[in-house]
Amino acid sequence: MMKPLNIGIAGFGTVGGGLAEVLRDNADWTKRRAGREVRLKMVCDLDESKKGLIESFGAAYTKSLDDILNDPQIDVAVELIGGTGVAKDFIIKAIKAGKHVVTANKALLAEYGDEIFPLATKAGVYLGFEASVAGGIPLVETIKGALAGNRVEGMLGILNGTANYILTEMTDKGMAFEPALADAQAKGYAEADPTLDVEGGDPAHKLTLLIQLAFGVHYPFEKLPVTGISVVKPIDIGFAREFGYEIKLLAHAKYIDGKIEAGVFPALIPSDYMLAKVKGSFNAVRLEGNAGPVMLMGYGAGDRPTGSAVLADIMSVAKGVPANVFGFEDDVLPEADILNLDDAVSPHYLRFIVPDKTGLLRDIGGVMADHGISIAQAVQKGQSEAPGEGVPLILLTHEAKADDIHRAMDDADSRGLCLERAMHYRIF
Ligand code: HSE
């Protein structure tokens, strides 16, 4: 039997606690699978009130990251601090100290991966990040390993549980965005500062990593187009449903003739798609492989699901699985050839608020025709109750270029046909 593998955890929050639990509860199982014992040797956290809890897992407590970095017996440094400051410094120092690194930090890897990944490759240490993309859903190793023979050419995912929870509340209870967000915060789903979740930054970090894993190209995070869910209104969720669609915050990426079309944005998907049935805080991803589609669903966050993903990476180190960050032979991935989302072609949902007067449908139809956009369905409901009050006019288009849709919306504005700026969503 090989000697135990010693780990040191930096940051003992939700995921750190979950990791310690699964490590304790699955100790015999872990040993049997990994062929050696995995030992939690040390935990660093600034909050001294966690000392007792940490020691109850048999680990030494410290407030100094250097204690982990300078302990020659610690084989794996587990970074669960989060953010791109102290965490980055810790990971770089751990790699330089020859330690294997496992992290759940998507923001750091998406924004600074091009600096960190080559350091790990050069040092010959393992850099595991299974937990950083959709928590407990095994996406990273699945794409790199089990799907290596099935070339992934597209993906559509729900990669943020908080946003999906809020949209589910808005859809099922007819709530507006702000109260649904307040509810998510009260239930502990959303952070006190929910910006990364509701404005799409968090799923964009995850998509940046998935693009590298699936397509073998580096798509700079700052170039990824991102729109969050704070723009979504109950009126559009309601009309989308009437047409047989749900609005979801989607992470979309497609490999088209060597180029990558990608972005995070709310969009309509048919209600009978499996993704449309993914409710609440669940995450799910549909991968379009050239040998067939695969769908994965599960918890994208939470203590034990995410902790178990961290543990799986630690067990890879224990088993001596070679370090290979993205599963390609290249040490540095080539830069992605990026397709502009304005040039993307798909059907669209358009909602205008127009004055309730004769000829408006004809005029809006005329604007669409002027921009070469073909209308598939149209609905205009209700009557204005007071002079000057608008009524919604909803159009579903056939395939159209996003840029033409924007121009048509501008045109409707400049011709004074709408009472407010129109809203549009892409339909998948
Ligand atoms: N805050 C994320 C979510 C999980 O709500 O899905 C961590 O990325």
Side-chain angles (χ1 to χ4, degrees):
M1 183 67 82
M2 289 172 77
K3 74 178 183 61
L5 184 84
N6 288 316
I7 70 167
I9 302 178
F12 204 65
T14 307
V15 180
L19 169 61
E21 277 184 29
V22 288
L23 201 46
R24 178 195 60 205
D25 298 351
N26 299 340
D28 291 344
W29 184 251
T30 301
K31 191 172 169 185
R32 195 173 149 214
R33 278 211 186 269
R36 61 200 283 203
E37 188 188 340
V38 175
R39 237 184 236 167
L40 179 54
K41 183 160 193 287
M42 194 183 287
V43 176
C44 174
D45 198 287
L46 292 179
D47 181 354
E48 277 182 53
S49 71
K50 294 180 182 169
K51 184 170 185 285
L53 176 65
I54 287 165
E55 287 174 350
S56 76
F57 288 107
Y61 168 77
T62 178
K63 281 179 84 168
S64 166
L65 291 171
D66 285 340
D67 286 344
I68 294 181
L69 294 167
N70 296 332
D71 184 338
Q73 288 183 341
I74 292 182
D75 308 291
V76 186
V78 181
E79 185 279 306
L80 301 174
I81 304 164
T84 54
V86 179
K88 182 179 175 211
D89 187 51
F90 175 73
I91 287 182
I92 290 174
K93 282 183 178 157
I95 292 172
K96 289 190 172 158
K99 297 191 189 304
H100 301 287
V101 171
V102 175
T103 177
N105 195 331
K106 64 229 71 170
L108 180 61
L109 298 184
E111 294 179 36
Y112 297 99
D114 45 357
E115 193 180 326
I116 293 168
F117 292 128
L119 288 179
T121 306
K122 195 162 149 238
V125 297
Y126 188 93
L127 179 54
F129 57 103
E130 182 65 70
S132 68
V133 185
I137 307 178
L139 267 166
V140 175
E141 288 303 320
T142 301
I143 295 174
K144 266 162 74 169
L147 282 178
N150 183 1
R151 183 171 182 172
V152 176
E153 295 178 330
M155 51 193 154
L156 200 56
I158 294 171
L159 293 178
N160 187 272
T162 306
N164 201 49
Y165 175 85
I166 292 171
L167 285 177
T168 303
E169 290 288 284
M170 291 174 73
T171 303
D172 292 351
K173 299 183 183 158
M175 291 167 91
F177 169 73
E178 285 80 9
L181 168 60
D183 176 56
Q185 280 172 318
K187 292 208 169 96
Y189 288 118
E191 313 280 339
D193 177 1
T195 315
L196 276 174
D197 290 324
V198 299
E199 298 305 346
D202 172 82
H205 285 138
K206 295 165 185 167
L207 185 61
T208 303
L209 294 170
L210 287 178
I211 288 171
Q212 298 179 76
L213 285 160
F215 305 143
V217 291
H218 174 63
Y219 192 123
F221 169 73
E222 61 279 3
K223 292 191 178 162
L224 191 70
V226 181
T227 305
I229 59 165
S230 59
V231 296
V232 178
K233 298 238 163 62
I235 181 176
D236 296 315
I237 293 178
F239 277 114
R241 276 213 146 170
E242 284 192 31
F243 284 105
Y245 296 92
E246 303 275 328
I247 296 184
K248 292 286 189 189
L249 181 62
L250 296 176
H252 153 76
K254 204 166 179 185
Y255 181 86
I256 306 169
D257 299 330
K259 300 185 174 162
I260 309 292
E261 177 189 300
V264 171
F265 43 82
L268 272 65
I269 47 174
S271 303
D272 58 1
Y273 270 29
M274 279 160 79
L275 271 183
K277 299 182 199 304
V278 175
K279 304 266 186 177
S281 63
F282 276 100
N283 283 196
V285 183
R286 183 183 157 96
L287 300 163
E288 297 293 341
N290 66 0
V294 174
M295 173 124 175
L296 292 166
M297 180 190 167
Y299 288 116
D303 50 6
R304 291 171 70 100
T306 312
S308 75
V310 174
L311 179 53
D313 277 339
I314 295 168
M315 287 162 72
S316 291
V317 176
K319 285 185 279 190
V321 173
N324 185 341
V325 179
F326 290 113
F328 294 96
E329 63 167 2
D330 335 38
D331 285 345
V332 177
L333 297 179
E335 199 80 3
D337 195 349
I338 295 172
L339 284 173
N340 191 330
L341 272 191
D342 285 343
D343 294 325
V345 173
S346 69
H348 284 259
Y349 164 105
L350 272 155
R351 187 245 309 148
F352 299 92
I353 301 291
V354 295
D356 190 6
K357 65 179 195 200
T358 312
L360 242 302
L361 186 54
R362 179 201 58 204
D363 293 345
I364 294 281
V367 170
M368 293 291 129
D370 288 350
H371 292 275
I373 300 166
S374 164
I375 298 168
Q377 296 187 65
V379 160
Q380 197 238 289
K381 276 199 169 169
Q383 273 181 308
S384 57
E385 282 165 14
E389 200 184 73
V391 289
L393 168 61
I394 316 297
L395 303 182
L396 262 51
T397 74
H398 287 296
E399 293 219 316
K401 206 162 134 179
D403 205 31
D404 290 333
I405 297 282
H406 297 145
R407 286 179 210 277
M409 287 161 63
D410 292 343
D411 210 358
D413 272 348
S414 59
R415 291 195 211 175
L417 298 177
C418 307
L419 297 177
E420 59 181 73
R421 175 79 178 164
M423 187 69 198
H424 86 103
Y425 292 99
R426 195 167 162 177
I427 302 176
F428 280 88

